[in-house]
Amino acid sequence: MGGAPLPQGPFLPWQIAILQVPALTPPFTLYAINATIIIHLQLLLAFPTSCQVHNPQTETHPPVHGPHCPTTTAGMPHSNDAPSLTSDQLVLLATHFAVASDIRSLISLATAHAGIISSTALLRILLTYLPETLPPEQYTHLIAALSNNNLSALDDHDATTLDVSSVSGLSPGKAKARVRKLQLLSLAHPLFEDEPLSETEHFVIHRAHRIDAGPGLLDSIPSLVNPFLDTYPELRTWFVSNVLPLLRYEYEYYPGNDRSLGLEEVENAHGERAVELWLGMAIEQCKSEELARNLRCLVGPWIIGRAARGRRRRALETRGLVETEHSISEDRSDAEQEWLPFMRKILGVATTNLLLVNRTLQDWSSPLDVDLGGYTDEKYSSEHSRRLQELYDQLGLASLYSAEASDVDSIEAAWELCNRLAERSNMHSSNIGEFSDSFLPPTSFKDLPKEIPNATMSLENMLNPLHPLTKPEIYAFAFAQRFILSARHMAEFGYPTSVRNAVRCRYMLDEDEQSNVFQKLIHTLSTGGQRSEENWKIARSNDLRAA
């Protein structure tokens, strides 16, 4: 028996081989076919029951056919010169056209038999069998029409005469048997099964995952998503928070690397893994402009999707698929919770490279400084904005107290950082910014604690909302200025120390230990060469100011 004639259109070699195999090929002939062809032949010839499609996850699925349709199309309208086909034959035909990327025939089938094959079933056929390498702009208009149940919106020139030869020779029983074996994907991606999204949103997100996981054509996803962004806000948020930062990372910021990140990894990332994913390269290269850019253009958009990501994670926790995680800080809002791991990472960098952190915070003004690519103007609430700004200011203060460096450049960086934050927060003195011997913060310190426990200086506690040194209040900035000056004077006296150690000297050492430090300082001054009377007056004054 000869093979069925091929529809027009470009085909991959394995598709041509499938279409040329006769419907009743003897079993022994199949063994001569390449193994790869056999696999795809099995996909083509395997289909579900006439009214339901089987899914490996054993969930309930929508019917393949319309709600009030008979099993056959007798008396139903169909395309010109096409014989009456059973509903099972139509399902097989739709799958045949999907495998062949024949969008025009799919449009003709959908419009001529809209009451027989449901839009949901057609979407699932497309999701399962339409090659992921096909450019999305060739089929997004069909997806939109199916999703809106508005097939009349499709242009007449998109339709074509149906070639039904691939299924017309099948008996109703054989067609039903093949349909019964079909396994169609659920519209919802496994990560989004519990998300209250429309069929369109589920299809687009799942399709994007298959494009990324299959051929890896991440840069084709925008053309898949763009036609639907104005209609579906949740889809827009998903795109901005997952696809946009991934596109920037892979194609714009680090294009020289092989594809190292996948869409699903971005969606599942949280905590330390998310920090490493978005900031790891910039920190490794010690480039402040990259670190600021990644905070603005990668982390900022990614955190916009925190609400949906949190819902998905809680659903996975409920099903026992991931470990339950407790809140990082009960005193923080959800937005702060998402930003905290990134802030703590920057704080860790400050312990060894305060200059890098100072330049980064100079280039990146706060978590409110985000680049969403013009896709949305989504913003934090006024309360979230205020608290995120405070968290940013607290990070700056915590950074200068965490730095171990005692060199002049680091001390000056601490001074610059502290004064810039204080000035922007309107918590600065009129003469702030002058790093001179004559300047000393005039603020009273009566509100400061008499004692600070050792644990207060640990990195884990530096971003505590009520931390006595880093909570962004006017006295905290003045207090920081005093200790920065103390560190500077001690360096000038030949006894370099960090701002962190200056605080330790004041609060962590007992009187004998403080006296020992002071004696070493006096010894350094007395053995440091000739000093004029004026030099000694300045040194004595600074010693008293630093005390």
PDB file of all heavy atoms in Angstrom, residues 353-379:
ATOM      1  N   ASN A 353      35.927  44.485  51.792  1.00  0.00           N
ATOM      2  CA  ASN A 353      36.055  45.446  50.695  1.00  0.00           C
ATOM      3  C   ASN A 353      35.002  46.535  50.835  1.00  0.00           C
ATOM      4  O   ASN A 353      34.032  46.597  50.072  1.00  0.00           O
ATOM      5  CB  ASN A 353      35.911  44.725  49.353  1.00  0.00           C
ATOM      6  CG  ASN A 353      36.412  45.561  48.189  1.00  0.00           C
ATOM      7  OD1 ASN A 353      36.515  46.787  48.273  1.00  0.00           O
ATOM      8  ND2 ASN A 353      36.713  44.914  47.080  1.00  0.00           N
ATOM      9  N   LEU A 354      35.219  47.426  51.791  1.00  0.00           N
ATOM     10  CA  LEU A 354      34.274  48.514  52.010  1.00  0.00           C
ATOM     11  C   LEU A 354      34.254  49.484  50.831  1.00  0.00           C
ATOM     12  O   LEU A 354      33.220  50.079  50.519  1.00  0.00           O
ATOM     13  CB  LEU A 354      34.612  49.265  53.304  1.00  0.00           C
ATOM     14  CG  LEU A 354      33.661  50.399  53.687  1.00  0.00           C
ATOM     15  CD1 LEU A 354      32.249  49.859  53.900  1.00  0.00           C
ATOM     16  CD2 LEU A 354      34.152  51.129  54.933  1.00  0.00           C
ATOM     17  N   LEU A 355      35.370  49.629  50.152  1.00  0.00           N
ATOM     18  CA  LEU A 355      35.414  50.533  49.007  1.00  0.00           C
ATOM     19  C   LEU A 355      34.444  50.075  47.924  1.00  0.00           C
ATOM     20  O   LEU A 355      33.746  50.887  47.303  1.00  0.00           O
ATOM     21  CB  LEU A 355      36.829  50.627  48.437  1.00  0.00           C
ATOM     22  CG  LEU A 355      37.794  51.626  49.107  1.00  0.00           C
ATOM     23  CD1 LEU A 355      38.144  51.191  50.520  1.00  0.00           C
ATOM     24  CD2 LEU A 355      39.060  51.774  48.268  1.00  0.00           C
ATOM     25  N   LEU A 356      34.399  48.756  47.670  1.00  0.00           N
ATOM     26  CA  LEU A 356      33.485  48.215  46.670  1.00  0.00           C
ATOM     27  C   LEU A 356      32.042  48.478  47.072  1.00  0.00           C
ATOM     28  O   LEU A 356      31.218  48.890  46.232  1.00  0.00           O
ATOM     29  CB  LEU A 356      33.727  46.713  46.509  1.00  0.00           C
ATOM     30  CG  LEU A 356      32.755  45.959  45.593  1.00  0.00           C
ATOM     31  CD1 LEU A 356      32.866  46.459  44.155  1.00  0.00           C
ATOM     32  CD2 LEU A 356      33.004  44.449  45.656  1.00  0.00           C
ATOM     33  N   VAL A 357      31.709  48.251  48.320  1.00  0.00           N
ATOM     34  CA  VAL A 357      30.341  48.464  48.788  1.00  0.00           C
ATOM     35  C   VAL A 357      29.979  49.942  48.732  1.00  0.00           C
ATOM     36  O   VAL A 357      28.865  50.304  48.320  1.00  0.00           O
ATOM     37  CB  VAL A 357      30.176  47.910  50.217  1.00  0.00           C
ATOM     38  CG1 VAL A 357      28.824  48.324  50.805  1.00  0.00           C
ATOM     39  CG2 VAL A 357      30.323  46.391  50.218  1.00  0.00           C
ATOM     40  N   ASN A 358      30.882  50.818  49.110  1.00  0.00           N
ATOM     41  CA  ASN A 358      30.609  52.256  49.067  1.00  0.00           C
ATOM     42  C   ASN A 358      30.293  52.710  47.645  1.00  0.00           C
ATOM     43  O   ASN A 358      29.328  53.446  47.407  1.00  0.00           O
ATOM     44  CB  ASN A 358      31.802  53.033  49.614  1.00  0.00           C
ATOM     45  CG  ASN A 358      31.587  54.543  49.537  1.00  0.00           C
ATOM     46  OD1 ASN A 358      30.524  55.044  49.879  1.00  0.00           O
ATOM     47  ND2 ASN A 358      32.596  55.256  49.063  1.00  0.00           N
ATOM     48  N   ARG A 359      31.097  52.262  46.680  1.00  0.00           N
ATOM     49  CA  ARG A 359      30.848  52.652  45.288  1.00  0.00           C
ATOM     50  C   ARG A 359      29.541  52.041  44.777  1.00  0.00           C
ATOM     51  O   ARG A 359      28.808  52.675  44.014  1.00  0.00           O
ATOM     52  CB  ARG A 359      32.019  52.212  44.404  1.00  0.00           C
ATOM     53  CG  ARG A 359      33.315  52.977  44.658  1.00  0.00           C
ATOM     54  CD  ARG A 359      34.322  52.721  43.543  1.00  0.00           C
ATOM     55  NE  ARG A 359      34.672  51.308  43.426  1.00  0.00           N
ATOM     56  CZ  ARG A 359      35.687  50.729  44.042  1.00  0.00           C
ATOM     57  NH1 ARG A 359      36.473  51.446  44.851  1.00  0.00           N
ATOM     58  NH2 ARG A 359      35.952  49.443  43.869  1.00  0.00           N
ATOM     59  N   THR A 360      29.246  50.807  45.207  1.00  0.00           N
ATOM     60  CA  THR A 360      27.996  50.169  44.781  1.00  0.00           C
ATOM     61  C   THR A 360      26.789  50.939  45.290  1.00  0.00           C
ATOM     62  O   THR A 360      25.837  51.200  44.539  1.00  0.00           O
ATOM     63  CB  THR A 360      27.942  48.720  45.299  1.00  0.00           C
ATOM     64  OG1 THR A 360      29.020  47.976  44.730  1.00  0.00           O
ATOM     65  CG2 THR A 360      26.624  48.062  44.934  1.00  0.00           C
ATOM     66  N   LEU A 361      26.805  51.309  46.559  1.00  0.00           N
ATOM     67  CA  LEU A 361      25.679  52.038  47.138  1.00  0.00           C
ATOM     68  C   LEU A 361      25.601  53.465  46.605  1.00  0.00           C
ATOM     69  O   LEU A 361      24.551  54.109  46.699  1.00  0.00           O
ATOM     70  CB  LEU A 361      25.783  52.036  48.663  1.00  0.00           C
ATOM     71  CG  LEU A 361      25.705  50.651  49.329  1.00  0.00           C
ATOM     72  CD1 LEU A 361      25.687  50.777  50.844  1.00  0.00           C
ATOM     73  CD2 LEU A 361      24.485  49.872  48.845  1.00  0.00           C
ATOM     74  N   GLN A 362      26.702  53.956  46.065  1.00  0.00           N
ATOM     75  CA  GLN A 362      26.673  55.264  45.425  1.00  0.00           C
ATOM     76  C   GLN A 362      25.971  55.179  44.062  1.00  0.00           C
ATOM     77  O   GLN A 362      25.241  56.090  43.663  1.00  0.00           O
ATOM     78  CB  GLN A 362      28.097  55.793  45.240  1.00  0.00           C
ATOM     79  CG  GLN A 362      28.172  57.212  44.701  1.00  0.00           C
ATOM     80  CD  GLN A 362      29.607  57.725  44.675  1.00  0.00           C
ATOM     81  OE1 GLN A 362      30.557  56.965  44.792  1.00  0.00           O
ATOM     82  NE2 GLN A 362      29.750  59.028  44.541  1.00  0.00           N
ATOM     83  N   ASP A 363      26.181  54.041  43.363  1.00  0.00           N
ATOM     84  CA  ASP A 363      25.581  53.863  42.036  1.00  0.00           C
ATOM     85  C   ASP A 363      24.157  53.323  42.099  1.00  0.00           C
ATOM     86  O   ASP A 363      23.394  53.474  41.136  1.00  0.00           O
ATOM     87  CB  ASP A 363      26.439  52.904  41.199  1.00  0.00           C
ATOM     88  CG  ASP A 363      27.809  53.465  40.884  1.00  0.00           C
ATOM     89  OD1 ASP A 363      27.962  54.706  40.913  1.00  0.00           O
ATOM     90  OD2 ASP A 363      28.730  52.673  40.614  1.00  0.00           O
ATOM     91  N   TRP A 364      23.816  52.659  43.184  1.00  0.00           N
ATOM     92  CA  TRP A 364      22.476  52.092  43.348  1.00  0.00           C
ATOM     93  C   TRP A 364      21.841  52.728  44.566  1.00  0.00           C
ATOM     94  O   TRP A 364      22.280  52.527  45.689  1.00  0.00           O
ATOM     95  CB  TRP A 364      22.580  50.574  43.515  1.00  0.00           C
ATOM     96  CG  TRP A 364      21.281  49.871  43.750  1.00  0.00           C
ATOM     97  CD1 TRP A 364      20.209  49.811  42.908  1.00  0.00           C
ATOM     98  CD2 TRP A 364      20.900  49.132  44.926  1.00  0.00           C
ATOM     99  NE1 TRP A 364      19.192  49.077  43.472  1.00  0.00           N
ATOM    100  CE2 TRP A 364      19.594  48.646  44.706  1.00  0.00           C
ATOM    101  CE3 TRP A 364      21.549  48.828  46.130  1.00  0.00           C
ATOM    102  CZ2 TRP A 364      18.917  47.876  45.661  1.00  0.00           C
ATOM    103  CZ3 TRP A 364      20.874  48.064  47.074  1.00  0.00           C
ATOM    104  CH2 TRP A 364      19.580  47.592  46.838  1.00  0.00           C
ATOM    105  N   SER A 365      20.774  53.498  44.371  1.00  0.00           N
ATOM    106  CA  SER A 365      20.271  54.370  45.430  1.00  0.00           C
ATOM    107  C   SER A 365      19.412  53.667  46.469  1.00  0.00           C
ATOM    108  O   SER A 365      19.302  54.161  47.596  1.00  0.00           O
ATOM    109  CB  SER A 365      19.482  55.530  44.820  1.00  0.00           C
ATOM    110  OG  SER A 365      18.385  55.050  44.050  1.00  0.00           O
ATOM    111  N   SER A 366      18.798  52.520  46.134  1.00  0.00           N
ATOM    112  CA  SER A 366      17.974  51.797  47.110  1.00  0.00           C
ATOM    113  C   SER A 366      17.208  50.691  46.395  1.00  0.00           C
ATOM    114  O   SER A 366      17.210  50.622  45.158  1.00  0.00           O
ATOM    115  CB  SER A 366      16.973  52.742  47.788  1.00  0.00           C
ATOM    116  OG  SER A 366      15.882  53.017  46.916  1.00  0.00           O
ATOM    117  N   PRO A 367      16.504  49.837  47.126  1.00  0.00           N
ATOM    118  CA  PRO A 367      15.658  48.821  46.470  1.00  0.00           C
ATOM    119  C   PRO A 367      14.547  49.419  45.615  1.00  0.00           C
ATOM    120  O   PRO A 367      13.915  48.697  44.842  1.00  0.00           O
ATOM    121  CB  PRO A 367      15.078  48.037  47.656  1.00  0.00           C
ATOM    122  CG  PRO A 367      16.096  48.178  48.741  1.00  0.00           C
ATOM    123  CD  PRO A 367      16.608  49.577  48.591  1.00  0.00           C
ATOM    124  N   LEU A 368      14.282  50.706  45.778  1.00  0.00           N
ATOM    125  CA  LEU A 368      13.289  51.369  44.936  1.00  0.00           C
ATOM    126  C   LEU A 368      13.861  51.705  43.569  1.00  0.00           C
ATOM    127  O   LEU A 368      13.120  52.040  42.636  1.00  0.00           O
ATOM    128  CB  LEU A 368      12.791  52.652  45.611  1.00  0.00           C
ATOM    129  CG  LEU A 368      12.314  52.509  47.065  1.00  0.00           C
ATOM    130  CD1 LEU A 368      11.826  53.845  47.584  1.00  0.00           C
ATOM    131  CD2 LEU A 368      11.236  51.450  47.185  1.00  0.00           C
ATOM    132  N   ASP A 369      15.171  51.608  43.438  1.00  0.00           N
ATOM    133  CA  ASP A 369      15.877  51.897  42.191  1.00  0.00           C
ATOM    134  C   ASP A 369      15.939  50.616  41.366  1.00  0.00           C
ATOM    135  O   ASP A 369      16.892  49.841  41.448  1.00  0.00           O
ATOM    136  CB  ASP A 369      17.279  52.421  42.519  1.00  0.00           C
ATOM    137  CG  ASP A 369      18.112  52.696  41.278  1.00  0.00           C
ATOM    138  OD1 ASP A 369      17.547  52.707  40.169  1.00  0.00           O
ATOM    139  OD2 ASP A 369      19.338  52.901  41.422  1.00  0.00           O
ATOM    140  N   VAL A 370      14.879  50.353  40.581  1.00  0.00           N
ATOM    141  CA  VAL A 370      14.789  49.127  39.788  1.00  0.00           C
ATOM    142  C   VAL A 370      14.491  49.474  38.334  1.00  0.00           C
ATOM    143  O   VAL A 370      13.889  50.508  38.042  1.00  0.00           O
ATOM    144  CB  VAL A 370      13.691  48.175  40.322  1.00  0.00           C
ATOM    145  CG1 VAL A 370      14.010  47.734  41.733  1.00  0.00           C
ATOM    146  CG2 VAL A 370      12.319  48.827  40.251  1.00  0.00           C
ATOM    147  N   ASP A 371      14.914  48.618  37.441  1.00  0.00           N
ATOM    148  CA  ASP A 371      14.679  48.781  36.012  1.00  0.00           C
ATOM    149  C   ASP A 371      13.815  47.621  35.534  1.00  0.00           C
ATOM    150  O   ASP A 371      14.284  46.491  35.435  1.00  0.00           O
ATOM    151  CB  ASP A 371      16.010  48.808  35.249  1.00  0.00           C
ATOM    152  CG  ASP A 371      15.828  49.003  33.754  1.00  0.00           C
ATOM    153  OD1 ASP A 371      14.672  49.007  33.281  1.00  0.00           O
ATOM    154  OD2 ASP A 371      16.846  49.145  33.048  1.00  0.00           O
ATOM    155  N   LEU A 372      12.539  47.902  35.237  1.00  0.00           N
ATOM    156  CA  LEU A 372      11.590  46.880  34.825  1.00  0.00           C
ATOM    157  C   LEU A 372      11.424  46.834  33.315  1.00  0.00           C
ATOM    158  O   LEU A 372      10.472  46.241  32.806  1.00  0.00           O
ATOM    159  CB  LEU A 372      10.236  47.124  35.503  1.00  0.00           C
ATOM    160  CG  LEU A 372      10.272  47.177  37.038  1.00  0.00           C
ATOM    161  CD1 LEU A 372       8.882  47.443  37.593  1.00  0.00           C
ATOM    162  CD2 LEU A 372      10.854  45.901  37.614  1.00  0.00           C
ATOM    163  N   GLY A 373      12.325  47.451  32.603  1.00  0.00           N
ATOM    164  CA  GLY A 373      12.338  47.351  31.151  1.00  0.00           C
ATOM    165  C   GLY A 373      11.201  48.041  30.438  1.00  0.00           C
ATOM    166  O   GLY A 373      10.994  47.821  29.244  1.00  0.00           O
ATOM    167  N   GLY A 374      10.452  48.887  31.142  1.00  0.00           N
ATOM    168  CA  GLY A 374       9.322  49.568  30.517  1.00  0.00           C
ATOM    169  C   GLY A 374       8.081  48.709  30.379  1.00  0.00           C
ATOM    170  O   GLY A 374       7.064  49.158  29.834  1.00  0.00           O
ATOM    171  N   TYR A 375       8.123  47.476  30.879  1.00  0.00           N
ATOM    172  CA  TYR A 375       6.964  46.586  30.760  1.00  0.00           C
ATOM    173  C   TYR A 375       5.875  46.929  31.756  1.00  0.00           C
ATOM    174  O   TYR A 375       4.700  46.645  31.527  1.00  0.00           O
ATOM    175  CB  TYR A 375       7.394  45.130  30.965  1.00  0.00           C
ATOM    176  CG  TYR A 375       8.150  44.551  29.802  1.00  0.00           C
ATOM    177  CD1 TYR A 375       9.543  44.528  29.797  1.00  0.00           C
ATOM    178  CD2 TYR A 375       7.484  44.046  28.692  1.00  0.00           C
ATOM    179  CE1 TYR A 375      10.253  43.998  28.726  1.00  0.00           C
ATOM    180  CE2 TYR A 375       8.179  43.516  27.617  1.00  0.00           C
ATOM    181  CZ  TYR A 375       9.566  43.496  27.633  1.00  0.00           C
ATOM    182  OH  TYR A 375      10.262  42.981  26.569  1.00  0.00           O
ATOM    183  N   THR A 376       6.254  47.507  32.875  1.00  0.00           N
ATOM    184  CA  THR A 376       5.287  47.835  33.905  1.00  0.00           C
ATOM    185  C   THR A 376       5.833  48.969  34.761  1.00  0.00           C
ATOM    186  O   THR A 376       7.050  49.175  34.838  1.00  0.00           O
ATOM    187  CB  THR A 376       4.991  46.609  34.799  1.00  0.00           C
ATOM    188  OG1 THR A 376       4.065  46.971  35.820  1.00  0.00           O
ATOM    189  CG2 THR A 376       6.254  46.093  35.452  1.00  0.00           C
ATOM    190  N   ASP A 377       4.933  49.701  35.393  1.00  0.00           N
ATOM    191  CA  ASP A 377       5.354  50.742  36.331  1.00  0.00           C
ATOM    192  C   ASP A 377       5.014  50.317  37.763  1.00  0.00           C
ATOM    193  O   ASP A 377       4.814  51.151  38.643  1.00  0.00           O
ATOM    194  CB  ASP A 377       4.686  52.075  36.003  1.00  0.00           C
ATOM    195  CG  ASP A 377       3.164  51.977  36.010  1.00  0.00           C
ATOM    196  OD1 ASP A 377       2.633  50.862  36.199  1.00  0.00           O
ATOM    197  OD2 ASP A 377       2.505  53.019  35.825  1.00  0.00           O
ATOM    198  N   GLU A 378       4.951  48.999  37.962  1.00  0.00           N
ATOM    199  CA  GLU A 378       4.617  48.461  39.282  1.00  0.00           C
ATOM    200  C   GLU A 378       5.572  49.001  40.341  1.00  0.00           C
ATOM    201  O   GLU A 378       6.785  49.025  40.155  1.00  0.00           O
ATOM    202  CB  GLU A 378       4.675  46.933  39.252  1.00  0.00           C
ATOM    203  CG  GLU A 378       4.207  46.269  40.536  1.00  0.00           C
ATOM    204  CD  GLU A 378       4.061  44.771  40.384  1.00  0.00           C
ATOM    205  OE1 GLU A 378       4.045  44.287  39.232  1.00  0.00           O
ATOM    206  OE2 GLU A 378       3.954  44.089  41.418  1.00  0.00           O
ATOM    207  N   LYS A 379       5.002  49.445  41.454  1.00  0.00           N
ATOM    208  CA  LYS A 379       5.802  50.044  42.520  1.00  0.00           C
ATOM    209  C   LYS A 379       5.407  49.450  43.864  1.00  0.00           C
ATOM    210  O   LYS A 379       4.335  48.861  44.020  1.00  0.00           O
ATOM    211  CB  LYS A 379       5.599  51.567  42.545  1.00  0.00           C
ATOM    212  CG  LYS A 379       6.048  52.278  41.280  1.00  0.00           C
ATOM    213  CD  LYS A 379       5.779  53.768  41.360  1.00  0.00           C
ATOM    214  CE  LYS A 379       6.225  54.485  40.089  1.00  0.00           C
ATOM    215  NZ  LYS A 379       5.932  55.935  40.144  1.00  0.00           N
TER     216      LYS A 379
END
